[in-house]
Amino acid sequence: MKILLKVWMRMNFKEELRIRTDYADNVVKEFLPEEEGFNKELCEAMNYSVNAGGKRLRPILLHTFYKLFGGDSDIVKPCMAAYEMLHTYSLVHDDLPAIDNDNYRRGMPTTHARFGEATAILAGDGLLHQAYETFIKIFDTEISTRTVKALKIFGDKTGINGMLGGQSADVLHTGEIISDELLYYIYEKKTGALIEGAMLTGSVLAGCNDEDLAKIKRVGELVGLAFQIKDDIFDYFHDESIGKPTGNDMLEGKLTLPVLYALLHTQDKEMLALVPKIKSMTATTDEIAQLIEFAKANGGIDYAEDIMMQYKEEALLLLSEVRNESVRRALTAYIEYVVERTK
């Protein structure tokens, strides 16, 4: 009976997620710039980047938490769009030749591959500025302690102490065998900060109490970490639906948790000798395939999955202390989705 209930909840969640995704997608499109005038091509590139697919998880989370804590107005709409614009700007710049040099994302040409590098840089800049221009539209509706607090969260989670700080550490230490502390800092900031920020923003705008807000903050951190580890694991298995080749992280010079664990627990000189080649992005596809199999054979995938499940269990334990039953149910379903998703 418990298994059947869990399957039903998962199916119900998937349908609910689809509905929420469609709603979030429509909200985001409300705030995209018009493609006209002398900056028409720039706006086309910005809109192309946002409309190139994606899960819309950040605006979904923001809206969901706003509703779960009793919010009942459209004040969150500009915030939803702003988080997705900010997230998209980070992807546009991540894909650039100077950073990850990716020509495809979600099976489609990346922004610089479609419009050229210069326009892609400007499109990313445009989305960053558009995100803040959009977010502050909440002050057209209400100027209060909670709206000011929401903007502060947005700034904290997107800047040098949030997502941008994580991206910087990721770029500066690409291809290195780094400590667990630094790796988790990168995960928490680069991926987790916007997830946590979306949860907190929706909760704050709905008037969530400080006690529950502190728990939501930690749950957001844990979910962000689990989300990134799941993404890392995907990179070790071929799946065309993800839109990137197997071993793409290592092609970009990055050593993620599974292979880092295996390398830190080996004396295999042949495998260790490949690390400088990963850093310089001169490793062949055969050498990357060797590292992938090495990570699998030496407990890297198992270790990453164990850590991910630890984060899941800690998050669920924290949720048991949240007084709002609707929040507990919704977050439980979302956490299950994060660790069980297939792409």
Side-chain angles (χ1 to χ4, degrees):
M1 181 62 72
K2 287 184 178 180
I3 294 175
L4 288 174
L5 179 60
K6 187 174 182 180
V7 170
W8 179 84
M9 288 179 65
R10 190 178 304 159
M11 292 173 62
N12 191 52
F13 175 75
K14 286 183 177 179
E15 175 60 17
E16 181 67 21
L17 184 62
R18 185 193 63 77
I19 294 170
R20 291 179 184 273
T21 300
D22 289 345
Y23 175 74
D25 195 50
N26 289 330
V27 168
V28 171
K29 288 177 179 177
E30 287 182 28
F31 295 91
L32 293 178
E34 296 291 332
E35 299 175 4
E36 58 187 14
F38 291 119
N39 63 352
K40 179 181 178 180
E41 185 175 352
L42 172 61
C43 294
E44 286 177 353
M46 291 167 62
N47 293 346
Y48 171 85
S49 305
V50 175
N51 290 325
K55 303 176 183 68
R56 305 296 194 228
L57 288 178
R58 292 149 192 85
I60 289 171
L61 285 170
L62 197 157
H63 183 252
T64 298
F65 275 81
Y66 179 68
K67 291 294 186 182
L68 288 173
F69 280 109
D72 61 356
S73 78
D74 289 337
I75 194 173
V76 290
K77 281 188 172 183
C79 305
M80 293 169 64
Y83 267 92
E84 191 65 17
M85 290 174 186
L86 204 298
H87 171 60
T88 304
Y89 127 75
S90 74
L91 300 182
V92 172
H93 280 188
D94 257 359
D95 290 335
L96 288 169
I99 302 182
D100 288 347
N101 194 25
D102 274 326
N103 288 321
Y104 289 92
R105 179 178 288 278
R106 301 167 186 145
M108 296 177 61
T110 52
T111 307
H112 75 266
R114 171 70 173 76
F115 292 91
E117 186 175 355
T119 299
I121 292 170
L122 294 174
D125 293 343
L127 286 167
L128 169 60
H129 289 284
Q130 188 79 5
Y132 277 91
E133 290 178 29
T134 301
F135 196 103
I136 61 176
K137 291 180 185 294
I138 59 173
F139 297 116
D140 295 340
T141 301
E142 177 185 321
I143 298 176
S144 65
T145 300
R146 66 176 182 169
T147 54
V148 171
K149 190 173 183 178
L151 179 60
K152 183 177 185 299
I153 291 170
F154 189 60
D156 287 344
K157 299 305 177 185
T158 60
I160 59 173
N161 295 315
M163 182 204 68
L164 187 58
Q167 285 183 308
S168 174
D170 187 30
V171 170
L172 291 174
H173 296 281
T174 292
E176 298 178 8
I177 299 180
I178 59 177
S179 66
D180 285 353
E181 183 180 12
L182 178 55
L183 181 67
Y184 294 140
Y185 171 85
I186 293 170
Y187 284 178
E188 180 185 342
K189 300 300 181 180
K190 183 177 179 179
T191 301
L194 291 188
I195 291 174
E196 178 191 337
M199 292 180 176
L200 291 174
T201 298
S203 302
V204 163
L205 288 174
C208 175
N209 66 71
D210 289 342
E211 182 182 349
D212 280 349
L213 201 62
K215 294 183 177 69
I216 296 300
K217 181 178 186 300
R218 179 56 181 160
V219 170
E221 292 173 357
L222 293 166
V223 169
L225 288 166
F227 190 95
Q228 184 58 58
I229 291 172
K230 187 69 173 182
D231 269 1
D232 286 352
I233 293 171
F234 284 145
D235 198 51
Y236 291 77
F237 300 92
H238 180 68
D239 186 346
E240 291 182 357
S241 68
I242 297 173
K244 289 189 176 184
T246 306
N248 191 70
D249 287 331
M250 283 187 268
L251 284 170
E252 295 172 353
K254 298 177 182 178
L255 298 172
T256 53
L257 184 58
V259 75
L260 278 172
Y261 174 83
L263 289 169
L264 285 167
H265 295 82
T266 188
Q267 300 297 320
D268 189 323
K269 293 181 180 179
E270 182 180 356
M271 291 296 104
L272 291 170
L274 292 178
V275 173
K277 299 185 76 173
I278 295 295
K279 183 176 177 62
S280 63
M281 291 186 285
T282 58
T284 66
T285 53
D286 284 344
E287 288 170 333
I288 289 174
Q290 289 177 41
L291 276 172
I292 288 174
E293 293 308 314
F294 169 75
K296 291 178 180 178
N298 288 272
I301 302 297
D302 291 339
Y303 175 75
E305 289 179 340
D306 286 346
I307 295 296
M308 181 178 67
M309 295 307 291
Q310 287 177 32
Y311 290 145
K312 170 192 169 183
E313 294 305 321
E314 183 181 346
L316 292 176
L317 181 62
L318 278 170
L319 280 180
S320 68
E321 302 172 5
V322 174
R323 288 174 288 181
N324 188 311
E325 184 179 353
S326 296
V327 173
R328 287 202 308 272
R329 287 201 308 267
L331 256 182
T332 298
Y334 176 68
I335 292 167
E336 294 286 354
Y337 163 75
V338 166
V339 300
E340 295 180 14
R341 64 196 170 99
T342 57
K343 63 179 180 178

